[in-house]
Amino acid sequence: MSQQAVTMADVAKAAGVSRTTVSFVLNGRSEANIPETTRLRINQAAREMGYRPNAAARALASRRSTWLGLVTEIATSPFATDVIKGAQHSAWNDGNFLLIAPSGDELGMDELAVEKLLEQQVGGLIIATTWHRQITVPENAKSVPCVLVNCFDAEGEFPSIVPDEVGGGYAAAQILAQAGHTNIGHITVTQGIPAQIGRQTGMKQALRDHGINPEDSKIVAGDGTADSGYHGTQELLSQPDPPTAIFCGNDRIAMGAYDAIKELGLQVGKDISIVGFDDQEILAPHMRPKLTTIALPFEEMGMAGVSLLNQMVEGSPIENRQITIGCPPRIRSSVAMHGRR
């Protein structure tokens, strides 16, 4: 069951005063002749009991328990809309309403966003990030059921929904191996993040499963930008035995790889095959040739986050504390069978 909200009546009982007195104090009304000691006692009781002003309930009290909160970097990422789309769809199907609060890099902004949602008496929270990473969850998020989407906390205290980075890396390399490529290069995203570790791990496993020995010399460190894709491709193709295919750690890297390949007078999808990762809607389908890539399942993660949160709000046991969502391939035109022109 969801946590019962602390009411003004509860605060009044704890402070030994009337509900009207509590209302005057907590609503900041100074016209009432209330001693300062009483005001201090009421405010202290409210803080200790975790009372928050119930702005949403004032407008729609009967729907209070059906409201869920989503904290995301909405203003800074094209991916956030897909998380919101999936979460909103799942929430509406369950008769819930999703309130959204933006977060950002500023110190304390996540905590403030959570607090604003808690003031609306949401029954639970989703915290979603635009790239897969470890986060520190604001302390105030612990007061209601909370699910992390595309992120996780170090202690594993909060259940999380994350993309299957290993499976995605495996699928990318398998596409190239099944096209007959045995000399495969890789340009990574930023070193040490879950995406880089998982995608590279999956790629190496796929190569081994297809009888190909992964070579460290064919792996170039990138940083997720088109520039790193451009320079990484130049480095790979300048080797004595250059790869015939490159798995790019994300679509922006692939965009840079396209430029480097064309400058060398070669053709993507004929001379060099390329696979990306992310399936950015503004990039992958519009590149020439269209980019074969691995999709990050933002919409599906949003849906899964709401579904898991509903289980927690209803008091159902959570068996799996971390759920991975598959990253499906998007087959387009940037991969050719090796040896065919």
Side-chain angles (χ1 to χ4, degrees):
M1 297 297 291
S2 59
Q3 179 175 316
Q4 182 67 40
V6 177
T7 66
M8 284 191 180
D10 298 326
V11 176
K13 183 177 180 181
V17 297
S18 70
R19 187 194 179 285
T20 301
T21 301
V22 170
S23 178
F24 273 102
V25 172
L26 296 184
N27 286 318
R29 294 177 61 177
S30 58
E31 67 267 32
N33 187 22
I34 300 173
E36 186 61 25
T37 54
T38 302
R39 292 181 180 273
L40 291 173
R41 188 166 73 252
I42 291 170
N43 284 320
Q44 181 177 353
R47 284 195 301 271
E48 292 176 351
M49 298 176 73
Y51 172 82
R52 291 185 176 88
N54 194 349
R58 293 185 193 125
L60 200 54
S62 64
R63 295 186 60 82
R64 181 179 59 194
S65 63
T66 65
W67 288 17
L68 304 175
L70 172 65
V71 177
T72 185
E73 299 138 321
I74 181 174
T76 60
S77 170
F79 294 128
T81 56
D82 290 330
V83 173
I84 294 168
K85 185 190 300 181
Q88 186 71 78
H89 179 76
S90 183
W92 275 110
N93 282 347
D94 293 329
N96 293 323
F97 184 79
L98 193 68
L99 296 175
I100 302 166
S103 64
D105 296 331
E106 293 89 347
L107 184 64
M109 190 169 177
D110 286 354
E111 184 175 4
L112 177 60
V114 168
E115 188 64 28
K116 290 300 182 183
L117 290 172
L118 292 175
E119 287 178 2
Q120 309 308 311
Q121 302 295 324
V122 293
L125 288 169
I126 294 173
I127 298 177
T129 57
T130 55
W131 56 279
H132 184 189
R133 64 184 186 267
Q134 179 180 304
I135 67 168
T136 299
V137 179
E139 189 69 24
N140 55 351
K142 298 179 181 180
S143 61
V144 293
C146 180
V147 172
L148 309 182
V149 169
N150 205 31
C151 55
F152 57 94
D153 63 305
E155 297 77 19
E157 180 179 357
F158 297 86
S160 59
I161 311 288
V162 297
D164 183 2
E165 306 281 13
V166 175
Y170 190 102
Q174 181 166 260
I175 290 169
L176 296 172
Q178 289 179 340
H181 294 276
T182 57
N183 188 347
I184 299 171
H186 177 45
I187 305 172
T188 74
V189 291
T190 304
Q191 294 289 303
I193 65 174
Q196 181 268 318
I197 296 169
R199 294 170 195 181
Q200 185 172 316
T201 298
M203 177 201 72
K204 287 184 174 182
Q205 187 58 55
L207 294 181
R208 294 189 191 98
D209 288 350
H210 285 81
I212 303 169
N213 181 41
E215 298 180 42
D216 289 341
S217 63
K218 302 296 183 184
I219 299 176
V220 175
D223 61 9
T225 64
D227 278 348
S228 70
Y230 176 82
H231 294 297
T233 300
Q234 287 183 321
E235 180 178 338
L236 287 170
L237 296 185
S238 67
Q239 294 180 358
D241 181 26
T244 61
I246 302 173
F247 166 36
C248 297
N250 68 16
D251 293 348
R252 286 179 295 172
I253 290 174
M255 183 169 64
Y258 270 45
D259 289 340
I261 290 166
K262 291 173 183 176
E263 280 191 9
L264 291 170
L266 302 173
Q267 290 183 292
V268 175
K270 291 185 178 180
D271 302 301
I272 306 292
S273 290
I274 299 290
V275 174
F277 207 111
D278 287 351
D279 193 29
Q280 285 200 35
E281 186 178 353
I282 60 175
L283 288 182
H286 307 292
M287 296 169 68
R288 295 292 182 269
K290 295 181 179 181
L291 179 65
T292 291
T293 188
I294 309 299
L296 278 172
F298 284 99
E299 188 170 341
E300 292 80 2
M301 287 193 292
M303 294 177 68
V306 169
S307 178
L308 183 59
L309 183 59
N310 280 332
Q311 292 181 47
M312 297 173 66
V313 170
E314 293 168 2
S316 301
I318 304 299
E319 296 180 2
N320 190 353
R321 301 291 293 180
Q322 186 172 88
I323 297 173
T324 56
I325 306 294
C327 300
R330 299 285 188 254
I331 306 298
R332 298 192 179 101
S333 312
S334 62
V335 175
M337 293 296 296
H338 182 50
R340 295 185 185 177
R341 295 290 182 94

